[in-house]
Amino acid sequence: MAIQELTKNLYYVGVIDHSLKVFDVAILTAYGTSYNSYLLKTEEGNIVFEGSKEAFGEEQIEHIEEIAPLSSISYLFVTHTEPDHSGAIHLLLERNPELVVVASTGALLNLNKIIRRPFKSVVMTPGKDMKIGQYTFSFYSGLNLHWPDVMFTYIHELKALVSCDAFGAHFASDSLLLSKEQNKEGYYDALKYYFTHIMGPFPSFVIKACDAVSSLDIEWILPGHGPVIDQNPQDQIALYRHLAEEGLPSNDQNKVTIVAASAYGYTKDLALQIKEFLESKGKEVYLHLIDALNYAEEKPKILEHILHSGSFYLGSPTLVGDAISFFYDILLSFPYTKLQGKKAAAFGDYGWSGEAAINLTERLRQLKTKTLPPYRMNFKMDEKQEEEFKAWLESLVS
Ligand code: FEO
């Protein structure tokens, strides 16, 4: 890869990895990725922005040294410390122990545990600018994008925003610049997948981060992955905002989603009674009755309805001592951040042991919903149980 001067004094010194197929164990990278880092020459020593992944540390150092000796690097700005950006920082510090690491408090806490030896450091503080040579740096919180250590750096004189994971994508681009990338369709495909899996669980934080940088005059976004955004950077921020807004749970207290499966109609009957009760209280109820034939088709509608409902109720009969797998699939489709605070409960009729509603309740608690006690019925209700069921129904709206 040709090392590239992006603009006067600013160089790309990152590493492109076309071969990566899986990132973070669970995320596919159909277009590879890059571990971006940048070198800025200043009148008071040079700066490197971002470390690299352990396996690519030597390559990053080679790229740095094509521009300037490692001994000339006075500062390493670290925007985020997941090991794909921090795993090789120890190599930089071993070769240049005078290097000063500039990072958020959270990032420095992590780095101390990753590097396990003393190093010089300065804390990035929003609202407290740093001046090095002819450049001024301001810091903006990128809190929880997608780690709590993220801090963006804005370089005033270059109108450049160093954003690490934010506003990027897993996409190996030899052209380095988005304006020159030929495969734009692939790039945006990669970006949407990346957003869904990495930023998507934190939509409200994405919107806050977009707000934090919205008033900046930005000509360059220098992300941690994928090509440099050298054209219409505000469009990139707007795209991130749009994707975040699409995934933002609305928690409408008037909307309720009920999902039920029923082997012999008993759990379905409970679901219908819950629906009727909630509608009598003025709620707008989405009821999904699922089985092995219709689940795949119903699933996208179920997820959409749960996302926008203030409460949701899952009714499963017990099959081999547990709930039916569809319900776990539904719950696994949401990061806890999207269900947190919604009112939720499990219910279900059973013949023998009745674990389904108990087990689903445990999962609802793990997902930080406002979890109500489950309602379980063994075959059909007697009069006393009808009264208990009415009391449980009232608990849904109290
Ligand atoms: Fe690219 Fe969160 O690491």
Side-chain angles (χ1 to χ4, degrees):
M1 184 206 69
I3 299 304
Q4 188 161 330
E5 184 172 20
L6 300 172
T7 187
K8 188 173 179 227
N9 289 333
L10 181 68
Y11 300 83
Y12 182 88
V13 291
V15 177
I16 311 285
D17 182 4
H18 284 280
S19 65
L20 191 76
K21 300 289 178 231
V22 177
F23 180 83
D24 264 6
V25 180
I27 299 170
L28 295 171
T29 45
Y31 302 93
T33 195
S34 59
Y35 307 101
N36 297 341
S37 54
Y38 307 91
L39 190 156
L40 179 66
K41 288 187 171 174
T42 90
E43 291 160 357
E44 282 183 26
N46 298 328
I47 302 171
V48 168
F49 295 89
E50 316 295 17
S52 193
K53 195 175 179 179
E54 174 99 50
F56 296 98
E58 293 297 342
E59 196 173 338
Q60 183 198 23
I61 288 172
E62 278 172 30
H63 293 171
I64 290 169
E65 293 207 307
E66 285 181 40
I67 308 299
L70 207 53
S71 58
S72 76
I73 309 299
S74 302
Y75 298 93
L76 174 68
F77 279 49
V78 176
T79 307
H80 166 47
T81 51
E82 195 169 0
D84 54 317
H85 306 284
S86 66
I89 287 177
H90 69 96
L91 294 174
L92 295 172
L93 289 167
E94 280 160 23
R95 313 263 175 100
N96 180 356
E98 294 308 307
L99 196 58
V100 177
V101 176
V102 184
S104 69
T105 308
L108 289 171
L109 278 173
N110 286 347
L111 281 178
N112 275 304
K113 293 177 198 161
I114 292 166
I115 293 166
R116 296 289 183 192
R117 50 176 267 189
F119 57 87
K120 296 181 179 176
S121 64
V122 170
V123 176
M124 286 176 173
T125 309
K128 195 171 158 191
D129 291 354
M130 258 184 98
K131 195 148 177 66
I132 300 173
Q134 66 274 48
Y135 295 103
T136 315
F137 306 92
S138 295
F139 307 110
Y140 294 88
S141 171
L143 188 71
N144 286 337
L145 292 186
H146 54 127
W147 277 25
D149 60 340
V150 176
M151 191 78 77
F152 303 148
T153 301
Y154 179 67
I155 311 169
H156 287 257
E157 293 74 9
L158 300 181
K159 299 182 179 176
L161 184 72
V162 186
S163 63
C164 204
D165 285 343
F167 311 125
H170 284 313
F171 190 88
S173 169
D174 288 322
S175 60
L176 291 182
L177 301 177
L178 186 56
S179 64
K180 294 198 175 150
E181 175 54 51
Q182 297 295 307
N183 184 8
K184 292 278 199 313
E185 193 180 332
Y187 173 74
Y188 286 109
D189 183 43
L191 184 147
K192 283 176 187 159
Y193 180 87
Y194 173 98
F195 185 94
T196 300
H197 290 85
I198 296 175
M199 300 294 159
F202 308 98
S204 59
F205 289 106
V206 174
I207 291 167
K208 273 187 195 163
C210 292
D211 288 344
V213 298
S214 64
S215 62
L216 296 177
D217 184 6
I218 299 172
E219 288 183 2
W220 300 85
I221 296 177
L222 308 175
H225 301 290
V228 168
I229 318 303
D230 60 324
Q231 209 173 44
N232 304 322
Q234 290 299 342
D235 288 355
Q236 189 83 351
I237 295 170
L239 174 58
Y240 257 61
R241 179 191 289 276
H242 170 74
L243 293 171
E245 284 171 350
E246 273 189 339
L248 201 59
S250 54
N251 286 4
D252 184 334
Q253 295 305 314
N254 199 46
K255 290 182 178 167
V256 182
T257 301
I258 302 170
V259 187
S262 195
Y264 295 100
Y266 299 167
T267 300
K268 176 182 172 184
D269 188 48
L270 291 175
L272 291 173
Q273 290 188 62
I274 296 167
K275 178 174 187 283
E276 186 180 3
F277 171 80
L278 291 170
E279 284 177 340
S280 76
K281 300 291 181 184
K283 303 288 185 186
E284 184 180 345
V285 180
Y286 305 106
L287 173 62
H288 296 272
L289 296 170
I290 54 174
D291 59 27
L293 274 181
N294 74 356
Y295 176 60
E297 190 182 338
E298 285 293 302
K299 182 179 170 183
K301 290 178 269 179
I302 292 169
L303 300 187
E304 183 71 11
H305 284 154
I306 290 178
L307 184 70
H308 296 299
S309 292
S311 50
F312 66 100
Y313 306 111
L314 305 178
S316 174
T318 296
L319 204 69
V320 199
D322 207 340
I324 295 175
S325 62
F326 312 137
F327 294 95
Y328 293 109
D329 184 55
I330 290 166
L331 294 177
L332 284 169
S333 302
F334 290 101
Y336 80 88
T337 48
K338 300 220 177 169
L339 299 182
Q340 190 170 25
K342 291 180 189 288
K343 189 185 270 190
F347 63 94
D349 202 286
Y350 64 96
W352 289 103
S353 46
E355 293 92 339
I358 295 170
N359 294 352
L360 285 176
T361 299
E362 187 55 33
R363 184 64 187 138
L364 290 169
R365 286 201 185 103
Q366 290 166 355
L367 290 165
K368 304 184 194 300
T369 65
K370 285 182 194 159
T371 313
L372 302 174
Y375 183 79
R376 300 158 67 228
M377 175 46 51
N378 191 199
F379 294 113
K380 293 194 176 178
M381 295 177 200
D382 60 22
E383 281 182 17
K384 180 169 173 276
Q385 289 162 336
E386 280 178 10
E387 291 307 311
E388 288 168 357
F389 183 54
K390 279 182 193 162
W392 184 82
L393 288 175
E394 289 294 339
S395 76
L396 305 184
V397 291
S398 60

